[in-house]
Amino acid sequence: MKNRPSHSVLAALAISTIGLGAILVEHPAQAAESSETSQPDPMQFVRGAKAWANNCNRCHRMRDPKELRDDQWRAVLSHMRTRGGLTGQETRDILAFLQGSN
Amino acid sequence: MKRPRKQTGMATWLASLMIISMPVLAQTDLDRLTELEAKTTAMAEELAILRAELEAARQEEPESELEALRSEVAVATQTAQRAEKSANEWKNTSAVTHISGYAAAGFTSEKNGTDSFDLVNFNPIFHFQYGDLVMWESELEVRVADNGETEVGLEYSAINIFLNDYVAFVAGKFISPLGNFRQNVHPAWINKLPSAPSGFGHDGAAPSAEVGFQLRGGMTFGEQSRFTYAAYIGNGPKLEGVGGELHGIETGGFAGDKDDEKIIGGRISFLPVPKLELGFSGAFGDAAVVENDGLDLVDDPSRAYTVLGADLMYRWNNFGFLGEYIQQDIADNASSLIPMGGKWESWYLQSAYRFAATKWEGVLRYTDYTSPHPDESQEQWTLGVNYLLTPNSALKVAYEVNDGLAGAETDNNRWLLQVAYGY
């Protein structure tokens, strides 16, 4: 057992602090979502199609937008956002494309 | 002459009678007339009333029908609105629950070994999402062991909190972000061959999972370029000794840390163009032997633990290319019960080509795995052919040419058949 605050404890604190710091700033995902609700972005579908074509077959074969419902794509895209390192904006764009194409 | 006198008398009598009776007859007719007039008047009044009622009824009846119709329309509208709300409410929920995952079944024919249907895997992945802020995801690995028992493992289970567009905080058990194969390619429906490259399975050269905290995300810059990152701190691996030497590095992810030493690591990748990804991984910390010959070992001194990796991915039309190098290194420690450390390293190159306008795909992979244990080291060529049933399922046939320690299992060539499905 150790009595000193080890570097790993400091690293855990650093990760937590960065995380908490990031959550205190504006949450662009929600901000963009609310603005989209009031003012649809006509180019989002186009951006989503491009991001879908560029990212989704990096690791696996392209999935047909018709495979899943709108709500299912929401969960899948959140999973792929973390796994594929997508930005929030790319995730929303691809989601708009998939939901508009199924 | 009497006769005329008699007739005259009769006539006189009749005339008198008529004269007498005339006022009586006149009075009766007047009464009747009056009575008739009264009746006629009453009937006219009744008729007027009936006409008025009829007119009123005529005016009221269409209004009541209209009212009834309006009521029916209102009910139907409410019903339709409720139905529409019910039909669309799933689109507008804050929380989403979703199940995906993958499954595989396979057959192996091994030279100098047995032929058996040796693979039944079922890996459900559960997603629980709230808005665009939080998602908890968990993957189970359910498989049939060779003794017939069902084995269940928790591949990962972690919360993802999307702090902003570029940062996600992950806490729990997660797939090791070191390298590319383990975190992105290993699911059976994604892996283009029935087997993992040597050293990239469990307890080989590539770490499998970790329990701890992680920050990860990505950002774009320029027209096409992007950058992704993952940084974590976790409990790290467990070291086990068998027969006086390190048996291996267990990296399955542990909710406990007997040596009280954490590991810090991560991966960055750069994509100058969308179809080319270059990744670099590293993890550093200390690890200690916590088990020797099946018995717990307490207070064995720790030694340095290092992971280094680099990976490459490139796609061009129907051509796909993967390459990866990874190593785990345990330093020596003379004061440990097991002083000798060791290095587990592996690398592979894989190319795949999907024949245009068909569902056929050819794959070739070379792997070189080096372990401190000679019977684990292996050089491997794998040639495979896939038939892509759907975008998420495939029939895979492959032949492995394995070169390992003579007489060891790793030296046996194998035929592999697999059916994989991603759902």
Side-chain angles (χ1 to χ4, degrees), chain B residues 125-252:
Chain B
I125 300 173
F126 304 89
H127 297 132
F128 305 96
Q129 182 176 352
Y130 194 93
D132 287 336
L133 183 61
V134 176
M135 183 178 69
W136 192 291
E137 58 177 349
S138 300
E139 177 183 331
L140 297 177
E141 182 176 46
V142 185
R143 59 183 301 155
V144 179
D146 55 7
N147 63 2
E149 293 184 356
T150 300
E151 297 176 347
V152 180
L154 186 64
E155 283 283 289
Y156 60 85
S157 184
I159 191 168
N160 297 258
I161 302 174
F162 301 105
L163 305 177
N164 59 42
D165 270 10
Y166 311 102
V167 184
F169 174 73
V170 181
K173 180 178 180 178
F174 44 83
I175 293 179
S176 173
L178 304 173
N180 184 43
F181 185 85
R182 283 299 306 165
Q183 63 175 324
N184 292 324
V185 185
H186 87 275
W189 76 276
I190 297 176
N191 186 7
K192 294 182 182 298
L193 287 168
S195 60
S198 300
F200 285 82
H202 290 281
D203 305 328
S208 297
E210 187 58 274
V211 175
F213 293 167
Q214 181 182 194
L215 291 174
R216 61 186 297 155
M219 54 191 68
T220 56
F221 56 93
E223 282 293 314
Q224 294 186 312
S225 303
R226 58 185 301 112
F227 162 81
T228 74
Y229 68 92
Y232 75 93
I233 178 168
N235 287 329
K238 277 170 45 174
L239 305 182
E240 290 183 1
V242 174
E245 60 182 13
L246 279 181
H247 173 64
I249 306 173
E250 291 196 15
T251 58

Side-chain angles (χ1 to χ4, degrees), chain A residues 35-96:
Chain A
S35 66
E36 281 165 11
T37 305
S38 58
Q39 206 169 30
D41 180 356
M43 291 304 293
Q44 189 173 38
F45 185 90
V46 176
R47 289 197 310 269
K50 188 178 176 184
W52 175 73
N54 283 340
N55 290 289
C56 296
N57 69 345
R58 284 220 307 271
C59 301
H60 58 75
R61 293 185 291 280
M62 299 293 261
R63 302 291 287 264
D64 187 344
K66 295 184 184 300
E67 283 183 20
L68 301 176
R69 297 192 311 257
D70 286 3
D71 59 327
Q72 294 172 319
W73 280 124
R74 279 177 64 191
V76 170
L77 260 293
S78 292
H79 167 80
M80 292 313 305
R81 175 179 171 178
T82 307
R83 193 55 55 84
L86 301 173
T87 66
Q89 187 60 54
E90 287 175 313
T91 305
R92 292 188 293 276
D93 292 345
I94 295 173
L95 182 61

Side-chain angles (χ1 to χ4, degrees), chain B residues 25-349:
Chain B
L25 290 172
Q27 186 63 40
T28 303
D29 289 341
L30 186 60
D31 291 344
R32 285 180 179 172
L33 190 61
T34 304
E35 186 180 352
L36 284 172
E37 281 180 353
K39 285 183 177 176
T40 303
T41 302
M43 288 176 68
E45 287 175 354
E46 285 181 10
L47 183 61
I49 292 169
L50 286 172
R51 277 179 175 164
E53 288 178 352
L54 181 63
E55 186 63 27
R58 279 178 180 167
Q59 289 178 354
E60 286 174 4
E61 192 171 359
E63 190 64 34
S64 63
E65 284 182 0
L66 188 60
E67 196 59 39
L69 190 60
R70 281 177 181 158
S71 177
E72 286 179 13
V73 170
V75 171
T77 303
Q78 288 175 356
T79 304
Q81 286 173 341
R82 281 198 295 269
E84 185 181 13
K85 184 174 178 294
S86 298
N88 291 315
E89 63 186 5
W90 59 271
K91 294 181 181 176
N92 305 315
T93 57
S94 299
V96 175
T97 300
H98 177 245
I99 299 175
S100 64
Y102 53 96
F107 173 83
T108 300
S109 175
E110 186 172 312
K111 188 180 178 183
N112 303 323
T114 58
D115 298 345
S116 60
F117 296 93
D118 62 340
L119 175 69
V120 182
N121 270 25
F122 172 61
N123 291 55
I125 300 173
F126 304 89
H127 297 132
F128 305 96
Q129 182 176 352
Y130 194 93
D132 287 336
L133 183 61
V134 176
M135 183 178 69
W136 192 291
E137 58 177 349
S138 300
E139 177 183 331
L140 297 177
E141 182 176 46
V142 185
R143 59 183 301 155
V144 179
D146 55 7
N147 63 2
E149 293 184 356
T150 300
E151 297 176 347
V152 180
L154 186 64
E155 283 283 289
Y156 60 85
S157 184
I159 191 168
N160 297 258
I161 302 174
F162 301 105
L163 305 177
N164 59 42
D165 270 10
Y166 311 102
V167 184
F169 174 73
V170 181
K173 180 178 180 178
F174 44 83
I175 293 179
S176 173
L178 304 173
N180 184 43
F181 185 85
R182 283 299 306 165
Q183 63 175 324
N184 292 324
V185 185
H186 87 275
W189 76 276
I190 297 176
N191 186 7
K192 294 182 182 298
L193 287 168
S195 60
S198 300
F200 285 82
H202 290 281
D203 305 328
S208 297
E210 187 58 274
V211 175
F213 293 167
Q214 181 182 194
L215 291 174
R216 61 186 297 155
M219 54 191 68
T220 56
F221 56 93
E223 282 293 314
Q224 294 186 312
S225 303
R226 58 185 301 112
F227 162 81
T228 74
Y229 68 92
Y232 75 93
I233 178 168
N235 287 329
K238 277 170 45 174
L239 305 182
E240 290 183 1
V242 174
E245 60 182 13
L246 279 181
H247 173 64
I249 306 173
E250 291 196 15
T251 58
F254 306 100
D257 194 8
K258 287 184 178 179
D259 63 1
D260 199 19
E261 298 287 355
K262 303 296 178 288
I263 300 299
I264 298 170
R267 174 179 180 265
I268 56 172
S269 76
F270 174 59
L271 293 86
V273 292
K275 302 302 182 187
L276 173 63
E277 180 173 10
L278 302 165
F280 302 94
S281 304
F284 310 93
D286 291 329
V289 180
V290 297
E291 191 176 310
N292 187 46
D293 290 332
L295 300 174
D296 286 346
L297 189 61
V298 182
D299 291 337
D300 194 71
S302 60
R303 72 273 298 277
Y305 167 72
T306 308
V307 185
L308 292 173
D311 57 86
L312 167 70
M313 183 282 302
Y314 179 66
R315 291 195 63 82
W316 182 69
N317 292 334
N318 291 353
F319 175 80
F321 183 79
L322 291 175
E324 186 167 352
Y325 168 85
I326 198 149
Q327 70 164 52
Q328 290 187 100
D329 185 84
I330 299 292
D332 296 343
N333 188 325
S335 57
S336 169
L337 185 65
I338 300 173
M340 284 289 291
K343 180 189 288 186
W344 285 256
E345 65 178 337
S346 184
W347 64 274
Y348 75 91
L349 295 173

